């Protein structure tokens, strides 16, 4: 593993935390490259069960330097709380480094996030309410505050308060908001941000040095491809770019440094918040998946919308990320299914679409076209090698490979770190993926499974 990007291939919550924690056992640096505490990455390992929001999921390996990159937006009170929680549970954060270029989420961003959602009414995005959109908007508008600003305490307070006053004026005049609490809230944020000063570092330089020494680096994405600001289901997206291309920007290294891109997908699909979701199941089966898969948000506790696997969207994710490997998670959640449906095309006004339609008005109206495959009707949550998977499960995985044309690198069959199957695909890597995409590997197999 030289430099590997772990990217969400769907609408988030694919199990990136689990995969990163697992791969983190072999890494020396793990970098979060975008998003903020809208993310909730669950890790279950020998130390317990954790919900990480900003701290990279590689923190559990004491040899790992965990980096919050410049592409992340940081709510200092949330990061403070997360560090304190980890420390109180015996996990050292001494190796946690935060880029000085990472932007800060401030109380007025959170207020604005709520105000904007309320104003949208029925047309709301369904954000996590963590101030993500307004913080990235300020970054782009060159009005943001950065972690590096905390090095000068007097200057920092002045900067926060003057920015807050300008924002408060807009909020009170334009949106008729009560802004009286903002000053005290900002004091709390200043204190939290200053308490993080020791973690601030030139993380891009650290990363550069690690790469020169051939250290294994993991770049951990948050959210997922379909929530990407450019490539997702706009405007029902987040305000950053989860796609792999942004990993180099958000970590501060060149694009040629990235060697592998592993997309994480559930064996079915979920989405939290509003927006199109062609394979959504609003009946009993959706309810069953939600229950068995425990599909409730890690960050907000909201029930996740559930549906069958959407290979049209997954093919798209393979393409826009340049994926070299696929991690299929939560395969065990389908244990009880008599049959499993997979969407391999959409129908739009009588026409069959095999690729994700670029126009948002079209995506909102497509109908999924399903193929139905037999389920395995047995418990696979303890399986650790391909040979021990039921044939139906192997057939399901091969169906996925054949239709998205990327090899499967990892299969997850439960939330715990050890509940996985590593797939020793002979061609993992650029060559292998390209070969597959050019059709040489069409109909590819999950290799020597012995059946
Ligand atoms: P992330 O945001 O991509 O890191 O994913 P989340 O942590 O938000 O959501 C994934 C959920 O599924 C968490 O509760 C994980 O503990 C759980 N999980 C991950 N992999 C598996 C798996 O293979 N099987 C089951 N049953 N649960 C899993
Ligand atoms: P992880 O990293 C799932 C969704 C929200 C909403 C939209 C915009 O755990 O996979 P935002 O607060 O970002 O402005 O909300 O994006 N969303 C996520 N959905 N997993 C996440 O993160 C998400 N982060 C944001 O539900 O639809
Ligand atoms: Mg999550």
């Amino acid at each position: 593993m030289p430099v590997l990007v772990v990217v969400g291939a769907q609408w988030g919550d694919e199990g990136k935390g689990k995969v990163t924690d697992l791969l983190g056992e072999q890494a020396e640096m793990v970098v979060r490259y975008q998003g903020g505490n809208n993310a909730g990455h669950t890790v279950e390992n020998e130390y317990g069960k954790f919900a990480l929001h900003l701290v990279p999921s590689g923190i559990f390996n004491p040899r790992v330097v965990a980096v919050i990159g410049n592409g992340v937006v940081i709510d200092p009170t949330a990061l403070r709380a997360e560090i304190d929680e980890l420390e109180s549970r015996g996990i050292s954060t001494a190796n946690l480094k935060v880029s000085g270029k990472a932007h800060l989420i401030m109380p007025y961003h959170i207020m604005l996030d709520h105000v904007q959602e309320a104003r949208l009414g029925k047309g709301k995005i369904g954000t996590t309410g963590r101030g993500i959109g307004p913080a990235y908007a300020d970054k782009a508008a060159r009005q943001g505050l950065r972690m590096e600003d905390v090095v000068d305490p007097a200057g920092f307070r002045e900067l926060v308060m003057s920015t807050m006053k300008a924002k408060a004026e807009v909020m009170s005049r334009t949106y008729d908001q009560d802004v009286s609490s903002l000053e005290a809230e900002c004091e709390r944020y200043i204190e939290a941000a200053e308490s993080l000063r020791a973690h601030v570092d030139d993380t891009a330089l650290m990363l550069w040095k690690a790469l020169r020494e051939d250290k294994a680096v993991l770049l951990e994405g948050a959210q997922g491809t379909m929530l990407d600001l450019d490539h997702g289901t706009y405007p029902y997206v987040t305000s950053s770019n989860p796609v792999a291309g942004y990993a180099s920007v958000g970590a501060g290294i060149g694009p040629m440094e990235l060697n592998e891109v592993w997309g994480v997908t559930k064996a079915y699909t979920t989405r939290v918040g509003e927006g199109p979701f062609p394979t959504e199941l609003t009946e009993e089966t959706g309810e069953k998946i939600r229950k068995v898969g425990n599909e409730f948000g890690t960050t907000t506790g909201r029930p996740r919308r559930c549906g069958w696997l959407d290979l049209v969207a997954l093919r798209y994710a393979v393409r826009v990320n340049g994926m070299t490997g696929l991690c299929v998670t939560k395969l065990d959640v389908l244990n009880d299914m008599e049959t499993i449906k997979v969407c391999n095309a959409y129908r739009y006004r009588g026409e069959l679409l095999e690729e994700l339609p670029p126009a948002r008005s079209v995506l909102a109206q497509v109908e999924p076209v399903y193929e139905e495959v037999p389920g395995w009707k047995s418990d696979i949550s303890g399986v650790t090698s391909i040979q021990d998977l039921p044939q139906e499960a192997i057939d399901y995985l091969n169906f996925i490979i054949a239709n998205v044309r990327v090899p499967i690198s990892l299969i997850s069959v439960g939330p715990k770190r050890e509940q996985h199957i590593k797939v020793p695909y002979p061609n993992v890597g650029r060559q292998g993926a390209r070969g597959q995409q050019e059709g040489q590997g069409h109909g590819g197999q999950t290799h020597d499974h012995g059946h």
Side-chain angles (χ1 to χ4, degrees):
M1 185 218 298
V3 181
L4 191 157
V5 185
V6 174
V7 59
Q10 300 171 305
W11 278 276
D13 302 327
E14 300 92 345
K16 299 175 293 293
K18 144 117 198 209
V19 169
T20 305
D21 169 63
L22 171 63
L23 298 175
E25 284 184 306
Q26 303 148 41
E28 286 160 282
M29 244 182 168
V30 179
V31 187
R32 257 288 298 275
Y33 60 83
Q34 46 69 236
N37 60 325
N38 48 349
H41 294 185
T42 315
V43 170
E44 271 191 67
N45 58 24
E46 62 195 285
Y47 307 104
K49 181 174 174 179
F50 300 84
L52 299 171
H53 302 287
L54 284 160
V55 174
S57 307
I59 194 76
F60 302 95
N61 175 350
R63 285 182 298 106
V64 156
V65 175
V67 172
I68 300 180
N70 56 273
V72 176
V73 285
I74 300 174
D75 178 324
T77 61
L79 182 54
R80 180 73 264 159
E82 202 170 318
I83 291 173
D84 291 347
E85 152 107 8
L86 286 166
E87 290 285 348
S88 77
R89 293 176 66 184
I91 310 299
S92 170
T93 54
N95 282 343
L96 176 69
K97 305 291 176 192
V98 181
S99 167
K101 291 178 178 166
H103 277 246
L104 287 170
I105 296 180
M106 297 306 280
Y108 44 83
H109 292 134
I110 297 171
M111 190 181 256
L112 192 55
D113 194 353
H114 286 112
V115 169
Q116 285 172 340
E117 282 286 272
R119 285 171 67 87
L120 283 170
K122 275 181 120 181
K124 69 176 197 257
I125 311 285
T127 72
T128 59
R130 298 297 190 267
I132 306 296
Y136 275 114
D138 270 1
K139 174 179 174 176
R142 294 158 297 181
Q143 294 171 6
L145 307 179
R146 308 209 294 190
M147 276 307 298
E148 64 181 359
D149 295 329
V150 304
V151 291
D152 166 18
F156 182 55
R157 163 165 276 97
E158 208 177 293
L159 191 59
V160 171
M161 290 307 177
S162 62
T163 313
M164 182 274 291
K165 283 195 181 104
K167 297 280 175 191
E169 206 173 304
V170 175
M171 219 96 73
S172 121
R173 281 213 191 143
T174 316
Y175 300 122
D176 200 23
Q177 290 297 299
D178 175 6
V179 292
S180 56
S181 63
L182 277 181
E183 188 163 343
E185 274 291 282
C186 280
E187 287 293 352
R188 204 163 65 80
Y189 272 63
I190 290 170
E191 194 182 320
E194 285 179 351
S195 81
L196 298 167
R197 195 180 292 135
H199 293 282
V200 179
D201 218 318
D202 186 348
T203 55
L205 180 62
M206 294 172 76
L207 202 48
W208 168 261
K209 287 181 179 163
L211 294 177
R212 300 284 76 73
E213 290 167 23
D214 272 335
K215 290 193 170 161
V217 176
L218 263 181
L219 303 174
E220 178 184 8
Q223 290 81 53
T225 306
M226 302 306 285
L227 287 172
D228 186 278
L229 181 57
D230 288 74
H231 302 288
T233 49
Y234 193 88
Y236 300 99
V237 293
T238 191
S239 298
S240 69
N241 292 102
V243 292
Y246 192 80
S248 76
V249 180
I253 55 176
M256 301 303 283
E257 307 279 6
L258 313 180
N259 303 106
E260 299 276 347
V261 177
W262 285 11
V264 186
T265 175
K266 282 174 187 170
Y268 49 93
T269 310
T270 64
R271 170 165 207 172
V272 210
E274 310 303 317
F277 178 0
T279 62
E280 180 170 17
L281 297 166
T282 49
E283 33 64 294
E284 218 176 285
T285 316
E287 195 57 51
K288 182 172 171 181
I289 293 176
R290 185 174 307 114
K291 203 161 153 230
V292 179
N294 191 23
E295 295 297 354
F296 296 89
T298 312
T299 297
T300 57
R302 289 180 291 177
R304 295 174 182 150
R305 298 156 68 190
C306 297
W308 296 116
L309 186 60
D310 182 343
L311 293 180
V312 181
L314 192 56
R315 262 199 297 279
Y316 175 76
V318 166
R319 175 156 61 84
V320 297
N321 287 293
M323 239 180 250
T324 61
L326 200 58
C327 308
V328 179
T329 63
K330 306 193 89 159
L331 192 62
D332 57 297
V333 174
L334 303 180
N335 280 346
D336 276 346
M337 297 287 176
E338 204 68 55
T339 58
I340 298 163
K341 287 189 185 171
V342 205
C343 167
N344 204 14
Y346 298 148
R347 198 182 309 280
Y348 175 68
R349 295 186 177 165
E351 198 188 327
L352 217 55
L353 307 178
E354 290 187 345
E355 300 294 339
L356 198 84
R360 54 173 141 162
S361 57
V362 177
L363 186 66
Q365 293 177 54
V366 298
E367 298 268 332
V369 179
Y370 288 116
E371 301 195 29
E372 198 158 355
V373 299
W376 43 93
K377 297 284 285 174
S378 61
D379 184 5
I380 58 165
S381 61
V383 173
T384 54
S385 78
I386 284 279
Q387 285 88 330
D388 297 332
L389 275 181
Q391 187 59 47
E392 292 84 354
I394 289 173
D395 291 344
Y396 182 56
L397 295 171
N398 278 333
F399 187 86
I400 298 172
I401 295 173
N403 288 290
V404 303
R405 315 247 192 112
V406 88
I408 289 178
S409 329
L410 190 71
I411 300 158
S412 176
V413 292
K416 296 197 167 68
R417 189 193 272 180
E418 61 275 14
Q419 290 178 294
H420 70 269
I421 305 169
K422 281 205 177 102
V423 185
Y425 197 84
N427 275 328
V428 160
R430 282 194 188 155
Q431 285 312 105
R434 202 169 290 143
Q436 293 258 326
Q437 276 155 12
E438 280 163 9
Q440 298 159 16
H442 183 47
Q445 300 284 303
T446 40
H447 12 86
D448 295 318
H449 47 66
H451 287 265

